[in-house]
Amino acid sequence: MSEKIRIGILGYGNLGKGAEASIQQQPDMELVAVFSRRSPESVKTVNPNTKVIHVDDAEKHVDDIDVLLLCGGSATDLPEQAPEFAKLFNTVDSFDTHARIPEFFENVDSSAKPNGKTSIISVGWDPGLFSINRVLSESFLPEGETYTFWGKGLSQGHSDAVRRIEGVKNGVQYTIPSEKAIERVRNGENPELSTSDKHTRECFIVAEDGADKAKIEETIKTMPNYFDEYETTVHFISEDELKRDHNTMPHGGFVIRSGKTGENTNQIVEFSLKLESNPEFTASVLVAYARAAHRMNKEGLTGAKTVYDVAPAYLSPQSNADLRKKYL
Amino acid sequence: MSEKIRIGILGYGNLGKGAEASIQQQPDMELVAVFSRRSPESVKTVNPNTKVIHVDDAEKHVDDIDVLLLCGGSATDLPEQAPEFAKLFNTVDSFDTHARIPEFFENVDSSAKPNGKTSIISVGWDPGLFSINRVLSESFLPEGETYTFWGKGLSQGHSDAVRRIEGVKNGVQYTIPSEKAIERVRNGENPELSTSDKHTRECFIVAEDGADKAKIEETIKTMPNYFDEYETTVHFISEDELKRDHNTMPHGGFVIRSGKTGENTNQIVEFSLKLESNPEFTASVLVAYARAAHRMNKEGLTGAKTVYDVAPAYLSPQSNADLRKKYL
């Protein structure tokens, strides 16, 4: 590897910050700039040497950047940004609105392909690494069941929901996988499990002065869709405790394939993540896929791609000969 | 999928039997024949309808077979068979002599490539799926340590070693991963662990009548390289118990990457297998990679390949559009 892969980051929230840190760990990459919609002076990067450029000027940097990481959100940013920037740059994004992925893929593909660019979409761990494990394990074990458990992890959507309740000053919600359900799956029982069978929910709530805590707890536990079908625990804590103990974004989960081979032989394949920071890990996955986007583009593999299209060797900084010698 | 992928199996031991069963589970494959060095009449296949052909006649079937699974052993069969048959067929093998993989790769490549064939070598779970997980997790988390634990599993080499001891009529040895060591790794401690720190050994021995059991146990526990550095447990059982309780070939293991991102954030990636039958699972992996060999060959991707060169989509019977829609 003579020249480093030149990376740009578009969007500087938690994911963009994670990408900035991850690129520093990679031996064959350099961060060219962060692009932001905010005025560049107002963006405080973790590394003070990181260059910040207004997104309107991104087009001037097409020759300085090998891959642009799209670190915006899936709700409104990516559906607009990905097709736009895929015309100019190789891109990697973490679009995670599962139901809209086919449409998103087509939109990005029709931007990237005619412009000779490579865009790897929906990268991260779910969608991403979990998706790979679902497909691989089902390919090996066609007869069986695949189970996905999420957590222990902070759920942004559920945290928002509890914070909207009257009398709640602040709060967070964790999704917790059921140990009992995981054990049944690992034992090859192939149980039928709903999402609420597989998970419990735990809330840490800061109540406003004089609020009716019993009523808050009741409102949470009976909230339709969010909590009513789940075993839910509610803890009341102080604002200081919330800031001290609940200021990180842990997450993780398990994908377990329980299959049968031969006469009636149980075979269990399991992939799991235990992440102290969800955005930092997701960003680290995006950064490795940027290496793949760059290499695949150089080989003429253009258009929209997903993790299913990327051979493992494209993700590693090591040569194929070294991978065979040292890791096989 | 209009036409089924036509598979041949070369070698009919435990792996070949596992492949026969796995192909029956795959919606898009058919088994054309088993090729054996034995006389075809003497080979009793699990499915009585399976055609058995002498290996000397394999060359006559180059037009009937899309992929030949090489199910021989790594010690003597594969180093000879793989370069020979890679001239005639697309092949998949499970060559697992780690130190000799680079040389094996070159030998197979120089047979396959000039003949326009595709050979995926060293497929299975280790080498194979474990190798993929080592490379992927290190690509995402360059700072950290990777740990491999094997077991609980029957070790053929160690079982042979105990059976050679005077007074031992029969016996098996299991390698067992240390729960304590696994917990330390999962907790992000990044401990330094030797192979003997990570595993214990358990033997089930049938002693000959009148044999000195204390001496047998002592001989096992002090056997250099095989047992002396390990915590070893020896159980004496009857021949009937051995046949009843120890007639299967379970195996499995764990690949755990414990990495750091950002300031000092722990991130744990884990892949594990719990297999009731090692050969049936390994065969199932080979069969899925046969699909990849066939598709890659049709796309002109010829020569020797490893699991690092195979994009996940090649392994699944489903279309890329379905993978995006249903699994991403």
Side-chain angles (χ1 to χ4, degrees):
Chain A
M1 269 144 326
S2 43
E3 291 186 2
K4 292 201 171 191
I5 304 171
R6 301 165 304 167
I7 309 286
I9 293 171
L10 174 59
Y12 196 71
N14 288 322
L15 194 60
K17 280 179 195 167
E20 181 189 22
S22 172
I23 291 162
Q24 290 184 333
Q25 291 187 335
Q26 296 287 359
D28 58 344
M29 294 187 182
E30 61 184 345
L31 175 58
V32 175
V34 164
F35 297 92
S36 174
R37 281 177 297 216
R38 291 176 272 164
S39 79
E41 311 78 53
S42 72
V43 177
K44 299 292 167 228
T45 54
V46 174
N47 181 340
N49 297 322
T50 297
K51 193 189 283 184
V52 182
I53 299 173
H54 196 275
V55 64
D56 289 348
D57 293 328
E59 204 163 338
K60 298 177 189 163
H61 296 272
V62 288
D63 295 331
D64 313 333
I65 287 171
D66 296 313
V67 184
L68 186 65
L69 299 176
L70 308 183
C71 295
S74 294
T76 55
D77 298 335
L78 291 175
E80 195 180 295
Q81 290 174 344
E84 181 188 342
F85 286 96
K87 292 177 186 163
L88 302 169
F89 298 94
N90 300 317
T91 65
V92 176
D93 68 63
S94 66
F95 184 75
D96 67 358
T97 310
H98 293 266
R100 296 186 59 195
I101 285 175
E103 169 198 349
F104 184 81
F105 178 90
E106 296 302 334
N107 290 342
V108 173
D109 193 54
S110 61
S111 285
K113 199 164 248 168
N115 290 288
K117 300 298 178 190
T118 304
S119 290
I120 311 181
I121 70 154
S122 298
V123 173
W125 58 274
D126 196 2
L129 308 185
F130 276 19
S131 322
I132 291 175
N133 277 277
R134 288 182 196 114
V135 165
L136 259 62
S137 58
E138 190 174 317
S139 301
F140 309 139
L141 301 171
E143 295 180 8
E145 292 292 332
T146 303
Y147 298 87
T148 303
F149 295 85
W150 291 275
K152 181 185 177 176
L154 187 86
S155 162
Q156 210 56 65
H158 285 75
S159 297
D160 287 345
V162 299
R163 284 193 289 257
R164 282 193 296 264
I165 293 169
E166 194 186 325
V168 171
K169 194 174 168 195
N170 209 339
V172 294
Q173 193 269 180
Y174 297 98
T175 304
I176 299 169
S178 159
E179 279 297 327
K180 202 169 66 184
I182 292 179
E183 275 317 301
R184 292 186 63 196
V185 171
R186 283 183 181 153
N187 287 338
E189 294 179 32
N190 285 16
E192 277 197 33
L193 296 170
S194 67
T195 305
S196 60
D197 291 333
K198 292 191 292 180
H199 302 92
T200 60
R201 300 194 177 281
E202 191 170 20
C203 301
F204 292 86
I205 304 293
V206 181
E208 283 172 1
D209 287 344
D212 182 344
K213 289 182 179 176
K215 195 178 162 198
I216 291 172
E217 182 165 344
E218 174 71 11
T219 307
I220 292 173
K221 289 185 170 177
T222 58
M223 194 185 296
N225 303 319
Y226 283 81
F227 291 97
D228 61 342
E229 292 179 1
Y230 292 82
E231 188 187 314
T232 301
T233 317
V234 178
H235 308 276
F236 288 94
I237 60 173
S238 70
E239 184 87 50
D240 287 347
E241 286 170 317
L242 187 84
K243 283 193 181 133
R244 188 190 66 204
D245 303 333
H246 303 280
N247 64 345
T248 59
M249 280 172 282
H251 221 307
F254 305 76
V255 175
I256 306 179
R257 177 76 179 174
S258 171
K260 300 264 187 201
T261 59
E263 290 298 295
N264 192 24
T265 310
N266 286 317
Q267 313 276 25
I268 308 279
V269 181
E270 177 170 337
F271 179 77
S272 69
L273 296 171
K274 197 171 83 177
L275 309 174
E276 280 188 1
S277 165
N278 181 2
E280 284 182 14
F281 183 77
T282 301
S284 300
V285 177
L286 260 66
V287 166
Y289 276 88
R291 182 180 289 123
H294 177 59
R295 291 179 177 174
M296 290 170 78
N297 187 260
K298 286 206 294 185
E299 293 184 10
L301 300 166
T302 60
K305 308 287 175 191
T306 72
V307 293
Y308 298 130
D309 303 308
V310 179
Y314 285 119
L315 297 168
S316 171
Q318 308 215 31
S319 70
N320 281 17
D322 277 349
L323 291 180
R324 289 192 293 269
K325 188 174 172 182
K326 298 194 292 187
Y327 294 83
L328 204 58
Chain B
M1 266 147 326
S2 43
E3 290 187 3
K4 291 202 172 190
I5 304 171
R6 302 165 303 166
I7 309 287
I9 293 172
L10 174 58
Y12 197 71
N14 288 321
L15 194 60
K17 280 178 196 168
E20 182 189 20
S22 172
I23 290 162
Q24 290 185 333
Q25 292 187 336
Q26 296 288 356
D28 57 344
M29 295 188 182
E30 61 183 345
L31 175 57
V32 175
V34 164
F35 296 93
S36 174
R37 283 177 297 215
R38 290 178 272 164
S39 81
E41 310 78 53
S42 72
V43 177
K44 298 290 167 233
T45 53
V46 174
N47 181 340
N49 298 322
T50 297
K51 192 190 284 185
V52 183
I53 298 173
H54 195 275
V55 65
D56 289 348
D57 293 328
E59 204 162 339
K60 297 178 189 162
H61 296 272
V62 288
D63 293 333
D64 314 332
I65 287 172
D66 295 312
V67 184
L68 185 65
L69 299 177
L70 308 182
C71 294
S74 293
T76 55
D77 297 335
L78 292 174
E80 195 180 295
Q81 290 173 345
E84 181 188 341
F85 287 95
K87 291 177 187 164
L88 302 170
F89 297 94
N90 300 317
T91 65
V92 177
D93 68 65
S94 67
F95 184 74
D96 67 357
T97 310
H98 292 268
R100 295 186 59 193
I101 286 174
E103 170 197 348
F104 184 81
F105 178 89
E106 296 303 333
N107 290 343
V108 173
D109 192 54
S110 61
S111 287
K113 199 165 251 169
N115 291 289
K117 300 298 178 191
T118 304
S119 289
I120 311 181
I121 70 155
S122 298
V123 172
W125 57 274
D126 196 4
L129 307 184
F130 276 19
S131 321
I132 291 174
N133 278 278
R134 288 183 196 114
V135 165
L136 258 61
S137 58
E138 190 174 317
S139 302
F140 309 140
L141 301 171
E143 295 180 8
E145 293 292 332
T146 303
Y147 298 86
T148 302
F149 296 84
W150 290 276
K152 180 185 176 174
L154 187 86
S155 163
Q156 210 54 65
H158 285 74
S159 296
D160 288 345
V162 300
R163 285 192 289 256
R164 283 193 297 263
I165 293 170
E166 196 187 323
V168 171
K169 192 174 169 193
N170 208 339
V172 294
Q173 193 268 182
Y174 297 98
T175 303
I176 300 169
S178 158
E179 279 296 329
K180 203 170 66 183
I182 292 178
E183 273 316 302
R184 293 187 62 197
V185 171
R186 283 183 180 154
N187 287 337
E189 294 179 32
N190 285 18
E192 277 197 31
L193 295 171
S194 66
T195 305
S196 60
D197 292 334
K198 291 191 292 181
H199 302 92
T200 60
R201 300 195 177 282
E202 190 170 21
C203 303
F204 293 86
I205 304 294
V206 181
E208 283 171 1
D209 286 346
D212 182 343
K213 290 183 180 174
K215 195 178 161 198
I216 291 172
E217 182 165 345
E218 175 71 11
T219 306
I220 292 173
K221 288 185 171 176
T222 59
M223 195 185 296
N225 302 319
Y226 283 81
F227 291 98
D228 60 342
E229 292 179 0
Y230 292 81
E231 190 188 314
T232 301
T233 316
V234 178
H235 308 276
F236 289 93
I237 60 174
S238 70
E239 184 87 50
D240 286 347
E241 286 170 319
L242 187 84
K243 282 194 183 135
R244 187 191 66 203
D245 302 334
H246 304 281
N247 64 345
T248 59
M249 281 172 281
H251 220 309
F254 304 77
V255 174
I256 306 178
R257 178 76 178 173
S258 170
K260 300 266 188 199
T261 59
E263 290 298 294
N264 192 26
T265 310
N266 286 318
Q267 312 275 25
I268 308 279
V269 181
E270 178 171 336
F271 179 78
S272 68
L273 296 171
K274 196 171 85 176
L275 310 174
E276 281 188 359
S277 166
N278 182 1
E280 283 181 14
F281 183 76
T282 301
S284 299
V285 177
L286 260 67
V287 166
Y289 275 89
R291 181 180 288 123
H294 177 60
R295 291 180 178 174
M296 291 171 77
N297 186 261
K298 286 205 294 185
E299 292 183 12
L301 299 167
T302 60
K305 307 288 174 192
T306 72
V307 292
Y308 299 130
D309 302 308
V310 179
Y314 286 119
L315 297 168
S316 172
Q318 308 214 31
S319 72
N320 281 16
D322 277 349
L323 290 181
R324 289 192 293 269
K325 189 173 173 182
K326 298 194 291 187
Y327 293 83
L328 202 60

